[in-house]
């Protein structure tokens, strides 16, 4: 036992008063009559041999009685629970509950808890206790007075948790078997150990698992809402593109399909009238599925207008002047064309550009005057063979449109019909393949869309011209951007022309 500096070691002597036949006698630890049961224990007395320092509880010291080794730190530092059976003097300790004590010892052993007896008695006293109680637990030695300050009862039971007293029981109130089976009930409220397993589990659940679950749930909910949002956007986009597609489809279906004949410089007046009559009659007999127009030389216009059923066959000129009126010998104005009953005029034909030097500027004037006079313009564009071989067809066509018609207002544009006629295919018998024609017409529609918007582009009729005949017309007209044909040679025979018109029925 550690004695503070300056303090005097306290010395005690314990005596045990026993009675036999009314006679009292005092024994000490050395001569106590363990084996003589005729002596009845009455009292124990402590005699202070030397007045001085009384040890406080923090000076608690535990010694192995046999080896003299100081076990204090070892026991107090022990992890987990430790039961201490405290009996200052085993000679006088109450042995009536030894069964319960032994039971608690068994329980401690089974659960891996330490269980020690602490006493101030000698080996003899300890041996006596073992004999009468059958105790198997080890006894260590502690100062008797100190033990009495720990618990009044002798014996008494103390439960330590890592060196701290967390519960005490007097020998009359030892924990029952039921309470022992629920070890936590042995621990006083408010003294629960910090690292108890279930506490750890609860803490792990609260600190890690629960937040993790919440995080996962939040993440899933967020992902789900994002998915729903994306889906809604996708559905909206799909509906929009469906609507646009339907609109385009409708526009495409509504777009005028046209087959226009270009007689060029062919047919006398009488021949022309006869041809016009024949075409008119055959279409009257069998209604076409498209608009039909015949474009004739100026001198035929008035007479042909007289033989055509205007509801069935439209009439157009092949050219008009770039001047309104006046001293332009040999020229025919847009107003004059209109006055014959014609509704259309072909402008920008490659033959006019090539042989009569019609520039984009001149054509721009012609288009302006034709529209101003209420004529619909079939505006031609197309590249030469060299230009196609140099892959300049898009560039050439765009420049032709830019130069003469892309200046028009959207309103004026409604009276424009475009005709793509590759020069290398006109009158040569060399038709552009349907794919070549489709590719070019799709390109033309795309530049119209750039200029006037998708809807206007979808409403614009674009024709293909160049060696188009009854035999190749169905294939050409099956392409989505080809809205009909401008027919030269094949428009000079009613049957051939009708054959092309009928391609729209296939
Ligand atoms: P083509 O002529 O059909 O004889 O090739 C077409 C045109 O020049 O319009």
């Amino acid at each position: 036992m550690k004695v503070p500096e300056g303090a005097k070691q306290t010395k005690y002597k314990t005596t045990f008063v026993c009675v036999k036949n009314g006679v009292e006698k005092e024994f000490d630890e050395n001569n106590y009559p363990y084996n003589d049961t005729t002596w009845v224990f009455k009292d124990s007395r402590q005699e202070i041999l030397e007045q001085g320092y009384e040890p406080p509880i923090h000076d608690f010291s535990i010694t192995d009685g046999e080896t003299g080794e100081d076990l204090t730190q070892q026991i107090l530092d022990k992890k987990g629970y430790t039961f201490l059976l405290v009996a200052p003097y085993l000679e006088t300790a109450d042995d009536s509950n030894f069964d319960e004590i032994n039971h608690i010892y068994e329980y401690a052993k089974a659960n891996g808890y330490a269980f020690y007896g602490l006493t101030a008695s000698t080996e003899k006293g300890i041996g006596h206790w073992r004999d009468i109680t059958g105790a198997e637990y080890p006894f260590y030695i502690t100062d008797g007075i100190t033990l009495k300050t720990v618990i009044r009862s002798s014996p008494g039971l103390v439960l330590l948790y890592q060196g701290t007293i967390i519960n005490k029981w007097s020998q009359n109130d030892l924990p029952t078997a039921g309470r022992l089976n629920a070890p936590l009930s042995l621990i006083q409220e408010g003294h629960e150990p910090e690292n108890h397993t279930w506490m750890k589990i609860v803490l792990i659940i609260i600190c890690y698992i629960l937040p993790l679950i919440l995080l996962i749930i939040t993440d899933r909910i967020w992902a789900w809402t994002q998915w729903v949002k994306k889906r809604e956007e996708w559905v909206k986009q799909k509906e929009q593109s469906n609507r646009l597609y339907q609109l385009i489809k409708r526009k495409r279906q509504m777009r005028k399909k046209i087959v226009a004949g270009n007689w060029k410089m062919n047919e006398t007046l009488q021949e022309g009238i006869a041809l016009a009559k024949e075409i008119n009659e055959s279409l009257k007999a069998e209604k076409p599925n498209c608009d039909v127009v015949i474009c004739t030389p100026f001198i035929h216009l008035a007479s042909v207008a007289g033989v055509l059923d205007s509801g069935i066959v439209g009439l157009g000129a092949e050219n008009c002047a770039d001047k309104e009126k006046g001293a332009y010998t040999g020229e025919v104005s847009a107003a004059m064309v209109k006055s014959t009953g014609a509704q259309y005029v072909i402008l920008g034909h490659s033959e006019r550009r090539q042989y009569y030097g019609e520039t984009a500027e001149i054509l721009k004037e012609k288009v302006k005057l034709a529209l101003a006079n209420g004529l619909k313009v079939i505006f031609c564009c197309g590249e030469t063979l060299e230009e196609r071989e140099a892959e300049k067809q898009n560039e050439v066509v765009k420049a032709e449109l830019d130069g003469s018609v892309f200046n028009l207002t959207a309103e004026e544009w409604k009276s424009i019909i475009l005709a793509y006629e590759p020069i290398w295919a006109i009158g040569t018998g060399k038709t552009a393949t349907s794919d070549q024609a489709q590719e070019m017409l799709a390109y033309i529609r795309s530049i119209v869309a750039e200029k006037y918007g998708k809807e206007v582009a979808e409403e614009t009729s674009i024709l293909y011209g160049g060696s188009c005949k009854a035999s190749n017309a169905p294939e050409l007209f099956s392409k989505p951007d080809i809205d009909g044909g401008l027919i030269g040679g094949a428009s000079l025979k009613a049957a051939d022309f009708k054959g092309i018109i009928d391609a729209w029925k296939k």
Side-chain angles (χ1 to χ4, degrees):
M1 179 159 64
K2 187 171 164 264
V3 179
E5 227 175 280
K8 244 196 262 168
Q9 175 74 46
T10 307
K11 290 208 175 115
Y12 298 93
K13 184 185 176 205
T14 307
T15 53
F16 309 103
V17 179
C18 297
V19 184
K20 183 179 176 180
N21 302 328
V23 180
E24 283 189 5
K25 189 180 170 189
E26 250 186 36
F27 298 92
D28 63 19
E29 290 170 3
N30 298 318
N31 64 359
Y32 189 83
Y34 290 114
N35 301 321
D36 184 353
T37 51
T38 54
W39 285 103
V40 177
F41 172 75
K42 185 185 170 216
D43 199 355
S44 76
R45 288 175 197 157
Q46 244 167 17
E47 198 181 323
I48 299 170
L49 298 180
E50 196 180 324
Q51 206 64 32
Y53 171 77
E54 286 191 12
I57 188 69
H58 65 259
D59 278 341
F60 197 76
S61 138
I62 302 167
T63 314
D64 186 327
E66 282 174 24
T67 62
E69 189 189 347
D70 187 341
L71 302 172
T72 318
Q73 278 324 108
Q74 196 182 315
I75 289 174
L76 295 184
D77 288 352
K78 214 167 175 53
K79 289 242 178 295
Y81 298 106
T82 303
F83 286 97
L84 298 176
L85 182 74
V86 176
Y89 302 105
L90 288 166
E91 294 83 346
T92 58
D94 187 340
D95 59 12
S96 55
N97 287 326
F98 71 87
D99 259 357
E100 282 178 42
I101 292 166
N102 288 346
H103 187 187
I104 295 168
Y105 169 62
E106 291 303 327
Y107 159 81
K109 225 165 52 171
N111 288 281
Y113 307 141
F115 189 110
Y116 309 115
L118 291 186
T119 183
S121 292
T122 58
E123 271 307 303
K124 224 167 168 186
I126 294 167
H128 171 65
W129 180 262
R130 287 197 194 287
D131 289 346
I132 54 174
T133 66
E136 289 174 2
Y137 37 87
F139 268 100
Y140 298 128
I141 309 301
T142 297
D143 177 76
I145 296 297
T146 307
L147 287 181
K148 281 187 178 172
T149 65
V150 174
I151 189 161
R152 282 189 176 284
S153 169
S154 180
L157 190 67
V158 171
L159 179 62
L160 298 184
Y161 181 77
Q162 296 180 0
T164 305
I165 295 174
I166 58 168
N167 212 345
K168 292 180 187 182
W169 299 271
S170 76
Q171 62 107 17
N172 294 322
D173 186 29
L174 290 168
T176 60
R179 286 166 72 197
L180 283 172
N181 284 337
L184 285 177
S185 69
L186 300 178
I187 301 165
Q188 282 180 343
E189 254 191 327
H191 287 86
E192 291 177 15
E194 282 167 17
N195 63 344
H196 202 279
T197 313
W198 72 266
M199 277 290 290
K200 276 186 187 165
I201 293 169
V202 170
L203 273 177
I204 288 170
I205 290 173
I206 290 172
C207 296
Y208 299 101
I209 298 176
L210 219 59
L212 194 72
I213 290 171
L214 281 175
L215 199 73
I216 291 169
I217 291 173
T218 315
D219 177 65
R220 289 300 84 203
I221 290 173
W222 187 82
W224 183 75
T225 54
Q226 288 306 102
W227 181 83
V228 168
K229 227 178 186 164
K230 266 196 191 135
R231 216 193 119 71
E232 277 170 5
E233 270 167 27
W234 179 79
V235 168
K236 221 192 258 167
Q237 267 172 12
K238 198 152 167 60
E239 277 171 2
Q240 261 170 8
S241 66
N242 267 353
R243 264 203 303 276
L244 191 67
Y245 173 76
Q246 293 301 337
L247 187 77
I248 288 171
K249 206 171 145 193
R250 240 191 350 263
K251 295 267 181 211
R252 186 168 289 169
Q253 281 163 355
M254 278 162 55
R255 199 153 71 211
K256 275 196 161 58
K257 311 296 175 202
I258 303 167
V259 173
N262 175 13
W263 287 3
K264 305 191 179 179
M265 198 172 74
N266 293 297
E267 312 299 321
T268 62
L269 179 61
Q270 292 71 28
E271 287 165 345
I273 292 170
L275 177 59
K277 264 189 189 163
E278 202 183 343
I279 292 168
N280 194 63
E281 286 314 305
S282 73
L283 293 179
K284 228 160 101 177
E286 200 187 323
K287 291 255 160 27
N289 268 5
C290 61
D291 285 6
V292 176
V293 181
I294 51 177
C295 298
T296 73
F298 293 129
I299 60 143
H300 294 63
L301 288 173
S303 312
V304 168
V307 300
L308 290 182
D309 199 325
S310 65
I312 295 172
V313 186
L315 179 63
E318 297 168 17
N319 184 23
C320 72
D322 61 336
K323 303 287 188 295
E324 207 177 332
K325 64 186 226 178
Y328 301 103
T329 307
E331 284 298 300
V332 177
S333 73
M336 291 173 188
V337 171
K338 180 72 180 172
S339 69
T340 64
Q343 309 97 37
Y344 296 86
V345 61
I346 296 172
L347 290 175
H349 193 282
S350 61
E351 286 152 11
R352 300 276 333 153
R353 293 176 195 261
Q354 203 178 341
Y355 307 134
Y356 301 98
E358 289 191 0
T359 63
E361 256 326 289
I362 293 171
L363 290 168
K364 191 173 169 183
E365 284 308 302
K366 291 190 176 191
V367 169
K368 201 170 91 186
L369 286 168
L371 295 179
N373 283 283
L375 293 170
K376 287 193 170 103
V377 174
I378 300 173
F379 189 83
C380 304
C381 56
E383 80 285 356
T384 63
L385 187 59
E386 298 78 59
E387 286 162 344
R388 176 157 280 263
E389 280 168 355
E391 294 185 351
K392 285 189 170 160
Q393 64 272 26
N394 288 7
E395 209 179 296
V396 169
V397 165
K398 186 168 190 296
E400 287 175 343
L401 297 177
D402 264 339
S404 306
V405 287
F406 275 176
N407 59 303
L408 299 175
T409 64
E411 190 51 36
E412 288 170 325
W413 187 264
K414 287 180 184 164
S415 298
I416 297 290
I417 296 156
L418 296 178
Y420 166 66
E421 295 196 312
I423 297 166
W424 48 272
I426 297 173
T428 59
K430 207 173 167 189
T431 332
T433 65
S434 57
D435 286 340
Q436 277 173 323
Q438 161 59 28
E439 192 184 348
M440 199 61 203
L441 265 62
Y443 168 70
I444 292 171
R445 199 177 300 286
S446 76
I447 57 176
V448 172
E450 272 170 32
K451 185 78 199 162
Y452 296 101
K454 216 167 164 52
E455 257 190 83
V456 171
E458 286 303 327
E459 285 168 347
T460 304
S461 295
I462 310 178
L463 315 181
Y464 167 77
S467 300
C468 182
K469 342 182 236 284
S471 58
N472 58 25
E475 163 74 12
L476 285 162
F477 296 175
S478 71
K479 296 295 177 184
D481 283 292
I482 300 179
D483 301 316
L486 181 56
I487 319 298
S491 68
L492 298 174
K493 284 205 171 97
D496 292 350
F497 193 51
K498 172 109 183 344
I500 296 171
I501 292 163
D502 287 347
W504 280 118
K505 294 188 171 168
K506 296 191 173 146

